[in-house]
Amino acid sequence: MAGQDKQRQDGEETAPEDFAATVERLEALVERLESGELSLEASLTAFEQGVRLTRDAQRRLDEAELKVRTLTEGEEGGIDLKPFASPEEDDGEH
């Protein structure tokens, strides 16, 4: 809890646990910035938060790509890239 109090005092928030929540927070920040209602200082703070969230989202995407590549690695060390089946195609196979 001490970390949460410090975050509130500094005006910073931690990145959400969920990728979708990160994207939602980024969208909310963009809306606030585009509204034109924020002061210069508040705009800079929102921009800084957006940069942190963007970096976190990119890190998560990179990690997910690495996992997918690891799971699809072929026996000879090469990557067997296969397109994902659309939900309609996938339903017909079961």
Side-chain angles (χ1 to χ4, degrees):
M1 288 200 166
Q4 290 177 344
D5 292 339
K6 181 177 180 354
Q7 290 166 355
R8 289 187 193 135
Q9 290 171 358
D10 292 344
E12 295 180 13
E13 299 177 25
T14 58
E17 298 285 329
D18 181 62
F19 179 79
T22 300
V23 172
E24 287 176 13
R25 285 181 49 192
L26 274 169
E27 290 173 348
L29 280 172
V30 169
E31 287 178 17
R32 288 179 58 209
L33 286 166
E34 289 179 342
S35 74
E37 297 176 4
L38 297 175
S39 67
L40 176 61
E41 292 78 13
S43 294
L44 286 172
T45 299
F47 182 77
E48 289 171 0
Q49 289 175 350
V51 169
R52 281 193 297 274
L53 289 170
T54 301
R55 288 179 179 158
D56 178 64
Q58 185 61 53
R59 179 189 55 80
R60 291 171 191 249
L61 287 172
D62 291 343
E63 288 175 359
E65 180 183 8
L66 181 60
K67 286 180 184 178
V68 169
R69 286 183 179 271
T70 300
L71 292 171
T72 59
E73 189 172 295
E75 294 175 12
E76 298 165 6
I79 296 176
D80 297 330
L81 298 178
K82 299 176 185 170
F84 289 110
S86 67
E88 295 83 27
E89 292 173 4
D90 196 33
D91 289 342
E93 295 179 7
H94 294 285

